[in-house]
Amino acid sequence: MIETKKKVCLRTFGCQMNAYDSKRMAGMLAEMGYAQVAEPEAADLIVLNTCSVRRLAEEKVYSYVGELKRLKREKPWLLIGVGGCVAQQEGDKLLRRLPHLDFVFGPDALNRLPELVTQAAKGKRQALTKLGPPSAPAQIIVPAEPGLRAMVTVMTGCDNFCSYCVVPYVRGRERSRPAGEVLEEVAALVAAGAREITLLGQNVNSYRDPDGGLDFAGLLGRVNDVPELWRIRFTTSHPKDLSPSLIEAMAGLEKVMEQMHLPAQSGSNRMLKAMNRGYTRERYLEQVNLLRQKVPSVALGSDIIVGFPGETRQDFEESLSLLREVRYDFLYSFKYSDRPFTKAGRLENQLEEEVKSERLVELQALQREIGLAEHQAQAGKLEEVLVEGPARHGEGLMSGRTRAGRVVNFPGTPELAESLVMVRITEGRENSLAGELLPAPGAISA
Ligand code: SAH
Ligand code: SF4
Ligand code: F3S
């Protein structure tokens, strides 16, 4: 007899925190007997983990679920659920607007997914969107094969209320996970084969262990002691709370990689104030200088929003000049989009879409130039590279990342995968580096 297993198609949108939550969902669904499939057509259950940070992302959810109506008509037993930040934001409204949707659950109801699926199968349509302490204590769910690079959320929510941002409304108040639980999860991932861990939070710098008061620098120290773990990264750092102790931790802890995502959002003090970011351009630059002084090889990343309400050409030029001054290695840039609940969404002086688009194109062109020059400046350097696997393009090439997080492709054989090697950088390209393998006696194999 052919064994039939139930199949789930789990689609994830948004940030790394959603990617992490999706891994937890996949774990819970696997325990219920669901195997994962890539195509919604093959599934008995479709779960979307959604993002509402920009309007377009939210609209996509409605149109995507809308398209699933056809599938549900063909397979009436198909169950469809929406989780994540759009679920939190829209709640019951999603069930009303999409009659073929079975259940809705916000980020804090994630642990109740099995119960939601079981009840939906019995015909109960419901939306669980209460924010507050998570619905059940977080279990540590570790995939059997987490991969070489894994993530661990150390805190959820956000208390910063930047005036443009929906996250504090859809993720609720900031809560740190106990350090003991974080360490247990890191150790379990490492035991299952992970060698690099990225610690996640909207603002990791304000981490506080609820059981002992350890701050984020202290937590890094503890994670650094986990045997068999090679590399630690973290994201995101809020510039207003970047502490000297965190900079010291990056400088002093061998396993903490020299990479920092420090979103500036704008280079104009007027805009930073209107955004409620809690720092000035000058203060931001001081932080960058201190960081570069202590960790000279650090690669810096940032997020910039163009076209915030009331942004003048002059304000925008200050963002361009910030890029020239800092010279980021990587940059995510976005057109401002108004979000529900937020203060900026209620401002009068919204910019025309066309102006926002032009500014985005201009900013991105400048960043391409800077990024390329920064990459070219790496030529000749010797870098420790964690090899991930064969390069996506190019016969006989392997691909990995430097300590600073830059992608390097170099001629090599597949057995190098999952090992640390030394590579000499030969060329810098727009999105990656090219290099050649050094026959390092100290190379470690996984
Ligand atoms: N906690 C992180 C960012 C999380 S959201 C931080 O404070 O830096 C990721 C990025 O989305 C933000 O950094 C911001 O650049 C962008 N973003 C958030 N709200 C936005 C909005 N309303 N319009 C456009 N971009 C937005
Ligand atoms: Fe949003 Fe600001 Fe919180 Fe980041 S720090 S998630 S931008 S409110
Ligand atoms: Fe998006 Fe929610 Fe993350 S709004 S950016 S998925 S916290």
Side-chain angles (χ1 to χ4, degrees):
M1 217 172 84
I2 305 165
E3 195 195 344
T4 50
K5 207 170 177 188
K6 292 177 287 183
K7 298 186 183 73
V8 56
C9 171
L10 180 56
R11 289 263 158 113
T12 308
F13 306 87
C15 64
Q16 284 179 289
M17 264 149 286
N18 261 17
Y20 172 83
D21 286 349
S22 283
K23 291 227 155 94
R24 297 185 69 89
M25 291 183 203
M28 287 185 263
L29 293 168
E31 275 183 21
M32 293 179 77
Y34 278 98
Q36 288 218 46
V37 289
E39 294 310 319
E41 287 77 13
D44 308 294
L45 168 66
I46 299 173
V47 179
L48 308 181
N49 192 7
T50 61
C51 172
S52 67
V53 83
R54 281 167 290 278
R55 180 143 36 110
L56 196 65
E58 172 194 322
E59 283 166 4
K60 268 195 216 152
V61 175
Y62 275 101
S63 68
Y64 190 88
V65 182
E67 282 167 28
L68 296 177
K69 202 177 199 164
R70 183 183 50 84
L71 278 183
K72 183 114 177 181
R73 223 178 280 138
E74 286 164 18
K75 288 202 283 191
W77 67 90
L78 174 68
L79 298 176
I80 306 173
V82 171
C85 297
V86 175
Q88 187 62 44
Q89 181 188 302
E90 301 288 281
D92 274 341
K93 202 155 83 179
L94 273 163
L95 288 180
R96 285 198 302 274
R97 281 183 56 183
L98 300 161
H100 60 294
L101 184 62
D102 296 285
F103 60 93
V104 170
F105 60 112
D108 284 345
L110 187 139
N111 293 328
R112 289 176 65 185
L113 177 59
E115 170 194 332
L116 277 166
V117 173
T118 310
Q119 293 180 354
K122 293 181 191 147
K124 183 163 180 193
R125 294 180 82 222
Q126 56 187 325
L128 297 181
T129 52
K130 192 172 156 295
L131 275 179
S135 49
Q139 303 150 266
I140 293 179
I141 300 172
V142 170
E145 290 177 31
L148 193 61
R149 300 162 69 213
M151 303 171 279
V152 174
T153 291
V154 301
M155 58 191 301
T156 56
C158 183
D159 288 350
N160 286 315
F161 293 95
C162 300
S163 64
Y164 49 82
C165 186
V166 76
V167 171
Y169 304 95
V170 291
R171 288 274 169 162
R173 299 289 56 76
E174 207 168 272
R175 273 163 283 145
S176 295
R177 285 178 77 188
E181 197 180 294
V182 171
L183 287 163
E184 200 183 319
E185 192 165 308
V186 170
L189 285 162
V190 170
R195 290 293 172 266
E196 176 176 308
I197 297 284
T198 300
L199 302 176
L200 301 176
Q202 291 295 359
N203 180 12
V204 290
N205 310 26
S206 51
Y207 176 85
R208 276 274 166 219
D209 179 4
D211 294 343
L214 202 68
D215 68 1
F216 189 62
L219 181 71
L220 282 176
R222 300 283 298 280
V223 178
N224 194 70
D225 291 338
V226 174
E228 304 297 318
L229 173 64
W230 295 345
R231 291 182 158 193
I232 305 165
R233 300 186 196 277
F234 56 86
T235 197
T236 296
S237 298
H238 195 303
K240 87 176 156 56
D241 306 315
L242 179 58
S243 65
S245 67
L246 181 57
I247 297 179
E248 289 300 334
M250 184 175 269
L253 296 169
E254 174 61 17
K255 294 179 186 174
V256 177
M257 296 295 104
E258 293 79 19
Q259 176 186 25
M260 190 173 288
H261 191 56
L262 197 63
Q265 311 298 357
S266 171
S268 149
N269 279 335
R270 216 172 63 82
M271 290 295 103
L272 288 171
K273 189 150 192 266
M275 289 173 166
N276 191 30
R277 286 293 285 179
Y279 54 86
T280 58
R281 176 191 177 106
E282 293 71 28
R283 173 93 187 106
Y284 181 87
L285 288 170
E286 270 169 33
Q287 301 271 36
V288 167
N289 288 338
L290 182 64
L291 181 62
R292 285 193 164 145
Q293 221 176 332
K294 302 273 181 189
V295 190
S297 58
V298 70
L300 271 177
S302 189
D303 295 349
I304 297 278
I305 297 176
V306 301
F308 184 83
E311 185 190 70
T312 61
R313 179 72 208 176
Q314 176 61 32
D315 292 315
F316 171 63
E317 291 199 1
E318 288 175 23
S319 290
L320 295 176
S321 76
L322 184 77
L323 261 54
R324 288 194 199 96
E325 208 165 331
V326 178
R327 301 189 68 78
Y328 293 111
D329 239 81
F330 53 100
L331 182 80
Y332 299 97
S333 44
F334 311 101
K335 282 193 276 186
Y336 168 78
S337 88
D338 54 328
R339 305 311 299 127
F341 320 119
T342 64
K343 204 171 147 204
R346 294 191 293 273
L347 294 175
E348 300 265 297
N349 40 2
Q350 305 279 335
L351 267 67
E352 306 256 334
E353 210 46 40
E354 204 183 319
V355 176
K356 291 193 235 174
S357 301
E358 282 168 11
R359 289 184 185 173
L360 188 68
V361 168
E362 197 175 336
L363 186 95
Q364 291 180 339
L366 173 62
Q367 177 56 31
R368 268 200 299 280
E369 246 172 64
I370 295 172
L372 177 62
E374 288 303 299
H375 271 173
Q376 286 170 339
Q378 302 301 312
K381 293 195 173 154
L382 300 186
E383 295 285 348
E384 176 202 274
V385 171
L386 177 55
V387 188
E388 282 157 38
R392 248 184 281 162
H393 308 288
E395 193 75 6
L397 290 182
M398 295 298 285
S399 184
R401 271 167 215 267
T402 64
R403 292 180 62 94
R406 299 182 183 104
V407 173
V408 190
N409 298 318
F410 59 96
T413 48
E415 59 275 12
L416 290 174
E418 310 201 351
S419 68
L420 284 172
V421 297
M422 290 304 292
V423 169
R424 186 196 313 281
I425 306 305
T426 51
E427 195 190 330
R429 302 182 181 141
E430 201 177 300
N431 297 313
S432 65
L433 306 173
E436 58 193 15
L437 186 65
L438 293 184
I444 312 170
S445 260

